[in-house]
């Protein structure tokens, strides 16, 4: 368990123009650094997993989540944001 | 990737939270209040109130922060305290009722929905404090909103206190009558135990045991929906393979609890107690232990085979969970409450599940006959008989068992009781009407079983 500020963002929904642009813009505005992006499109269904670092961000995690979820609603996407420790704890011993 | 978790694993976790109701059921802070004893109920109550507010003032805020940060819902924040019968020994019933009021006020002040510990441990006999506390139970449960009560009437080491079993039948009846205008909801906050544990985070039976530290954080995880979906994916597997799938799933669910427990304990500056590996259902669709048993291949829970399916489920959850947590404790077993589980309710309505089958199922899981509505005119002796049977199962099998029955005033078989929220709703179930009165009226103590002599 770390007090670090790495988060995992997932984005699920139907593919369209501007998904990554919109999300990256929100992250840039909040001074959140993208460390890794992995994205696939299967039969028009868009799946993206992002690893981001928010240690230099002034926004708190709740505000960032609200911004992303709101953007997701406009684009018809389901967006989640969680601390990386959840994934580490669940999948690695 | 800068850290090596695959995309599939990430999406699996997200799905568990988003669509399978994975959550932390409760963060329960245990608080020792043995130092709050004063000469009368008012002073003792005030002192308890102050201590709870001091220790748990940040509990709800911290829980909410963790929920936000980790994206895992934390449904309940709760408090358990030292059994009041110990703290208030020497005070009379009326003074103990005042203490109950202060507990309720403290719970409201810090924003928790339940506070446990209006309790007495009487498995071998009563102190004066125990007697006064038990007499106060119906008053406190009808005049407070958040206080939960429990009474331990038996243990494997000491046998069954049949005087207490007799008494609790009457106390449950009285509690139902005192809350008759709300379907007897007082009884939903009253648990009669055998082998009660000191670090249970789940209500209504939580209390902060005498062997516990000054304060501690205990976690109850949940995840019937996650286990259900894992099983549904594998209709072809034999039961040995299925047990393995359940183990792996339980591991993942429990890890979440372990993480939240460690973070909460660090932020609150309170030692981490245990993770309780229970599968705790809620009335939400898909968050049901009954559905899990049915997904294993039973038409309805209650069908012959239900006990075996539950035994396997319960054991696999423990095996997976034990590996995932540094400290396992509490009740740790699948719960089979009726009113809090939509699948159980359906099975009762369909005529597949009755109280006798539920009793059999409690032999192999946690925690007992839980949240079962019975006709309001059921006699106290019959309720005592049910408690005695359940206590016997716990005593002989060295496990915790409990009874939380609601003799719903004015209601008959087929009627419904409605509590709302996590407590849910339940159909009134049939109880065997043949009288156990002669047996119950013998009173005394059923001696501890031979296998308690293991020193």
């Amino acid at each position: 368990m770390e007090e670090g500020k790495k988060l995992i963002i997932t984005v699920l929904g139907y593919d369209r123009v501007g998904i990554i642009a919109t999300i990256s813009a929100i992250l840039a505005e909040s001074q959140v650094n993208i460390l890794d992006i992995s994205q696939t499109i299967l039969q028009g269904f868009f799946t993206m997993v992002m690893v981001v670092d928010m240690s230099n961000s002034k926004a708190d995690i709740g505000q960032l989540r609200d911004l992303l979820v709101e953007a997701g609603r406009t684009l018809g996407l389901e967006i989640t944001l969680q601390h990386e420790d959840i994934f580490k704890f669940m999948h690695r011993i | 990737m800068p850290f090596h978790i695959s995309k599939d694993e990430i999406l699996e976790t997200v799905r568990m939270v988003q669509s399978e109701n994975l959550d932390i059921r409760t963060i329960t802070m245990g608080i020792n209040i043995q130092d709050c004893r004063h000469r009368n109920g008012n002073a003792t109550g005030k002192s308890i109130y102050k201590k709870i507010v001091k220790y748990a003032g940040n509990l709800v805020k911290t829980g909410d922060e963790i929920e936000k940060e980790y994206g895992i819902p934390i449904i309940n924040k709760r408090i358990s305290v030292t059994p009041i019968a110990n703290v208030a020994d020497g005070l009379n019933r009326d003074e103990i009722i005042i203490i109950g009021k202060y507990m309720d006020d403290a719970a409201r002040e810090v924003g928790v929905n339940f506070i446990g510990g209006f309790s007495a441990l009487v498995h071998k006999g009563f102190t004066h404090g125990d007697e006064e506390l038990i007499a106060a139970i119906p008053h406190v449960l009808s005049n407070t909103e958040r206080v939960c009560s429990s009474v331990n009437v038996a243990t494997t080491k000491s046998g069954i206190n049949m005087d207490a079993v007799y008494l609790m039948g009457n106390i449950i009846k009285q509690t139902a009558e005192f809350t008759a205008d709300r379907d007897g909801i007082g009884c939903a906050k009253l648990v009669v135990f055998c082998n009660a544990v000191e670090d249970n985070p789940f209500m209504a039976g939580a209390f902060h045991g005498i062997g516990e530290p000054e304060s501690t954080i205990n976690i109850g995880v949940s995840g019937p929906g996650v286990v259900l979906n894992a099983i549904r994916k594998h209709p072809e597997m034999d039961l040995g393979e299925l047990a393995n799938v359940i183990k792996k799933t339980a591991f993942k669910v429990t890890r979440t609890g372990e993480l939240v427990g460690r973070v909460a304990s660090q932020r609150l500056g309170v030692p981490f107690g245990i993770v309780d590996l229970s599968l705790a259902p809620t009335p939400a669709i898909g968050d049901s232990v009954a559905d899990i048993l049915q997904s294993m291949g039973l038409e309805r829970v209650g069908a012959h085979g239900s006990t075996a399916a539950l035994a396997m489920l319960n054991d696999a959850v423990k095996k997976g969970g034990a590996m995932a947590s540094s400290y396992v404790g509490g009740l740790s077993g699948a719960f089979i409450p009726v009113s809090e589980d939509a699948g159980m309710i359906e099975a009762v309505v369909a005529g597949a599940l009755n109280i006798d089958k539920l009793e059999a199922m409690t032999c192999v899981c946690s925690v007992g006959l839980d949240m079962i509505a019975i006709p309001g005119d059921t006699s106290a002796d019959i309720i005592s008989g049910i408690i005695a049977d359940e206590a016997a199962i716990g005593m002989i099998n060295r496990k915790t068992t409990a009874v939380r029955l609601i003799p719903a005033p004015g209601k008959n078989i087929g009627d419904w009781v409605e509590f709302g929220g996590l407590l849910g709703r339940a159909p009134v179930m049939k109880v065997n009407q043949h009288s156990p009165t002669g047996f119950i009226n013998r009173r005394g103590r059923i001696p501890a079983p031979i296998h308690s002599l293991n020193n």
Side-chain angles (χ1 to χ4, degrees):
Chain A
M1 183 181 69
E2 293 166 29
E3 284 294 307
K5 281 281 193 172
K6 272 191 211 161
L7 308 174
I8 309 290
I9 298 173
T10 68
V11 183
L12 302 171
Y14 286 102
D15 192 22
R16 58 183 288 172
V17 173
I19 296 179
I20 296 184
T22 309
I23 290 165
S24 320
I26 294 171
L27 296 176
E29 251 169 60
S30 309
Q31 294 292 312
V32 175
N33 191 25
I34 299 174
L35 301 175
D36 191 83
I37 299 184
S38 141
Q39 178 225 304
T40 47
I41 297 163
L42 194 65
Q43 295 169 341
F45 200 77
F46 178 92
T47 310
M48 179 168 75
V49 175
M50 264 181 169
V51 183
V52 303
D53 179 359
M54 74 179 294
S55 44
N56 294 320
S57 173
K58 289 200 178 67
D60 87 358
I61 193 164
Q63 292 166 334
L64 185 61
R65 179 179 292 116
D66 290 345
L67 286 173
L68 289 169
V69 168
E70 183 53 41
R73 206 170 289 137
T74 331
L75 293 169
L77 300 165
E78 196 172 299
I79 301 183
T80 67
L81 174 67
Q82 289 174 281
H83 197 289
E84 66 165 347
D85 281 349
I86 283 283
F87 304 93
K88 280 188 180 168
F89 249 70
M90 193 179 271
H91 297 287
R92 296 293 176 268
I93 300 174
Chain B
M1 283 210 150
F3 83 159
H4 305 284
I5 304 288
S6 78
K7 195 165 140 184
D8 286 345
E9 288 170 325
I10 287 175
L11 294 176
E12 181 188 3
T13 302
V14 169
R15 192 184 59 240
M16 283 182 186
V17 178
Q18 298 290 315
S19 57
E20 296 171 357
N21 298 316
L22 171 63
D23 56 45
I24 303 299
R25 180 53 46 80
T26 180
I27 298 184
T28 302
M29 181 187 263
I31 303 173
N32 164 45
I33 53 164
Q34 291 179 89
D35 55 346
C36 295
R37 168 72 196 282
H38 290 278
R39 212 173 296 161
N40 60 46
N42 213 25
T44 306
K46 262 188 198 155
S47 174
I48 291 172
Y49 176 93
K50 272 192 202 150
K51 186 157 187 186
I52 291 172
V53 172
K54 181 177 161 204
Y55 277 49
N58 280 328
L59 176 64
V60 172
K61 186 167 149 267
T62 305
D64 289 344
E65 280 168 9
I66 295 171
E67 167 167 347
K68 235 196 247 172
E69 204 166 310
Y70 289 87
I72 294 282
I74 299 171
I75 308 299
N76 299 298
K77 294 91 187 170
R78 292 167 170 174
I79 292 168
S80 63
V81 295
T82 316
I84 295 293
N86 293 50
V87 181
D89 204 355
L91 302 178
N92 65 27
R93 186 192 75 169
D94 292 338
E95 287 175 306
I96 293 177
I97 292 172
I98 294 171
I99 294 176
K101 196 85 190 100
Y102 276 105
M103 287 172 73
D104 201 38
D105 290 346
R108 192 173 298 114
E109 172 64 27
V110 301
V112 298
N113 58 359
F114 284 121
I115 179 167
F118 198 81
S119 306
L121 311 176
V122 298
H123 36 273
K124 213 163 173 188
F126 303 94
T127 62
H128 293 308
D130 294 331
E131 282 169 342
E132 298 295 326
L133 178 121
I134 291 173
I137 287 174
H139 301 270
V140 167
L141 294 184
S142 58
N143 289 317
T144 61
E145 185 192 352
R146 305 175 194 219
V147 176
C148 292
S149 178
S150 54
V151 176
N152 193 59
V153 298
T155 67
T156 300
K157 275 286 184 191
S158 61
I160 304 175
N161 177 355
M162 289 300 287
D163 292 328
V165 168
Y166 168 84
L167 183 58
M168 288 315 294
N170 288 289
I171 292 292
I172 289 175
K173 283 288 281 183
Q174 206 182 352
T175 303
E177 281 154 23
F178 280 24
T179 50
D181 54 331
R182 286 168 286 158
D183 284 349
I185 196 172
C187 297
K189 298 179 284 180
L190 174 57
V191 186
V192 183
F193 273 119
C194 168
N195 290 325
V197 295
E198 299 200 319
D199 52 7
N200 166 23
F202 286 103
M203 294 298 168
F207 60 87
H208 186 72
I210 299 300
E212 294 286 303
E214 178 67 11
S215 179
T216 180
I217 290 290
N218 297 321
I219 302 288
V221 292
S222 174
V226 181
V227 175
L228 174 65
N229 279 355
I231 293 174
R232 277 190 180 153
K233 270 186 225 147
H234 300 288
E236 78 296 347
M237 278 184 174
D238 78 23
L239 292 169
E241 294 167 327
L242 197 59
N244 229 10
V245 168
I246 298 170
K247 263 158 55 182
K248 286 181 189 163
T249 311
F251 175 86
K252 291 172 187 170
V253 169
T254 308
R255 286 300 277 173
T256 319
E258 174 81 5
L259 172 63
V260 169
R262 286 194 205 175
V263 175
S265 123
Q266 194 183 37
R267 291 192 187 173
L268 290 161
V270 170
F272 180 28
I274 56 96
V275 175
D276 187 317
L277 306 179
S278 292
L279 278 182
T282 68
I285 298 296
D287 209 19
S288 155
V289 170
D291 287 357
I292 296 177
L293 300 177
Q294 285 162 197
S295 72
M296 289 166 78
L298 301 166
E299 183 189 354
R300 288 270 182 206
V301 64
H304 292 294
S306 299
T307 310
L310 182 58
M312 186 191 112
L313 170 69
N314 201 45
D315 183 64
V317 166
K318 283 182 204 167
K319 285 173 178 162
M323 177 82 181
S325 174
S326 37
Y327 302 99
V328 175
L331 299 170
S332 285
F335 293 165
I336 52 167
V338 174
S339 80
E340 297 167 340
D341 186 318
M344 291 288 175
I345 294 171
E346 277 172 28
V348 172
V349 172
L353 182 62
N354 58 36
I355 209 164
D356 300 331
K357 189 63 181 176
L358 280 163
E359 181 183 314
M361 289 164 71
T362 65
C363 299
V364 299
C365 79
S366 172
V367 76
L369 291 173
D370 195 18
M371 289 304 284
I372 297 172
I374 57 175
D377 61 4
T378 307
S379 72
D381 290 346
I382 289 181
I383 294 173
S384 294
I386 296 171
I387 295 171
D389 283 346
E390 205 55 38
I393 290 170
M395 172 181 79
I396 296 295
N397 294 302
R398 302 183 200 90
K399 72 187 288 293
T400 307
T401 50
V403 169
R404 185 161 51 146
L405 294 178
I406 302 108
K411 299 277 168 98
N412 287 311
I413 298 162
D415 291 344
W416 288 79
V417 297
E418 308 269 353
F419 299 127
L422 271 183
L423 297 174
R425 65 198 292 266
V428 175
M429 293 174 73
K430 183 170 179 269
V431 173
N432 189 325
Q433 288 300 320
H434 296 275
S435 170
T437 303
F439 177 70
I440 297 300
N441 280 346
R442 285 175 183 265
R443 317 274 282 268
R445 204 147 45 89
I446 294 181
I450 185 74
H451 57 256
S452 71
L453 307 175
N454 54 1
N455 290 336

